[in-house]
Amino acid sequence: MTSPLWPYVTPGIPDSLFERLPGIPLTKRENRLLMLCQLRLESDSVLWDIGAGTGTIPVEAGLICPQGKIIAVERDEEVASLIRRNCDRFGLGNVEVIEGSAPECLPQLSSAPNRICIEGGRSIKSIITEVWAYLPTQGRIVAIANLLESLYAVSECFAELGVRNVEVVQSAANRLETRGNQQSFTALDPMFILSGEKLD
């Protein structure tokens, strides 16, 4: 699926094409590409994105999975509205936005996932533990960690649940930026991207 705003089959939508709200995090394009790579999406994948923020992952995934369904979970009403607006900007009809807090809202979700992305949440260990029960065999889970504490929590939880084929990638990207009449490279905030599979 393509969009007039992004008429390409490859992911990597520039950050500037998304509507934003002050103080609401946006997953930068370079980190987004790593996350999408680890999700290993198919055209009919059902993805739960927990803590969807600005909605960059739901938009990219919605374009990659034209026969699939993306369920974006966001607890803040204003931020959930932002996700809807960003989906509308790209003409997506396969993204459902749920206003609610994970893991409490999970039983309300309309479709069972075969891919799960966890971008945020107050208690990441409890979220991972709860979503794991909904993930079928051969399903994949991806979680991001920006803090050492959350990296430890996700790693520990993956081990306790028996997540298989675990991969951990730390992003380290720099962008060329122009300031005045000079150009310099600016580092993006690094993050850890943890992924794995549910196997018998």
Side-chain angles (χ1 to χ4, degrees):
M1 179 188 298
T2 60
S3 161
L5 198 57
W6 185 249
Y8 310 106
V9 295
T10 52
I13 299 170
D15 299 343
S16 60
L17 292 184
F18 291 96
E19 183 181 337
R20 301 183 68 178
L21 285 175
I24 303 304
L26 176 143
T27 302
K28 302 290 191 204
R29 175 173 53 181
E30 293 80 359
N31 292 333
R32 203 180 323 132
L33 288 169
L34 288 171
M35 293 168 67
L36 291 165
C37 172
Q38 295 295 3
L39 282 167
R40 298 180 190 170
L41 295 167
E42 298 174 308
S43 62
D44 61 351
S45 291
V46 177
L47 169 68
W48 285 5
D49 185 19
I50 311 295
T54 302
T56 57
I57 290 291
V59 166
E60 296 263 25
L63 292 170
I64 293 169
C65 307
Q67 288 86 45
K69 184 170 187 177
I70 316 303
I71 299 179
V73 176
E74 178 54 54
R75 65 176 176 258
D76 184 276
E77 180 181 355
E78 188 178 13
V79 181
S81 295
L82 174 66
I83 298 170
R84 291 187 187 98
R85 291 196 302 275
N86 274 317
C87 290
D88 289 345
R89 283 171 66 89
F90 289 87
L92 292 170
N94 59 347
V95 178
E96 180 183 358
V97 182
I98 301 295
E99 292 175 30
S101 294
E104 293 79 14
C105 71
L106 298 180
Q108 305 167 24
L109 304 191
S110 60
S111 302
N114 52 33
R115 301 291 188 270
I116 294 173
C117 181
I118 301 174
E119 296 192 72
R122 291 192 179 114
S123 175
I124 197 159
K125 281 191 74 172
S126 65
I127 292 172
I128 293 171
T129 302
E130 292 285 340
V131 299
W132 186 252
Y134 291 90
L135 194 66
T137 302
Q138 308 299 326
R140 288 188 61 78
I141 186 168
V142 173
I144 63 168
N146 295 312
L147 304 172
L148 183 61
E149 292 81 4
S150 55
L151 172 63
Y152 177 76
V154 174
S155 299
E156 184 178 55
C157 195
F158 274 22
E160 291 170 357
L161 293 171
V163 180
R164 303 291 184 87
N165 300 323
V166 174
E167 295 181 44
V168 183
V169 176
Q170 183 191 24
S171 66
N174 298 284
R175 287 182 176 176
L176 184 66
E177 293 188 357
T178 301
R179 296 178 180 171
N181 57 4
Q182 295 184 327
Q183 292 183 311
S184 63
F185 283 96
T186 302
L188 301 182
D189 291 337
M191 66 169 54
F192 289 93
I193 302 165
L194 299 89
S195 63
E197 299 174 336
K198 188 174 190 178
L199 302 177
D200 289 332

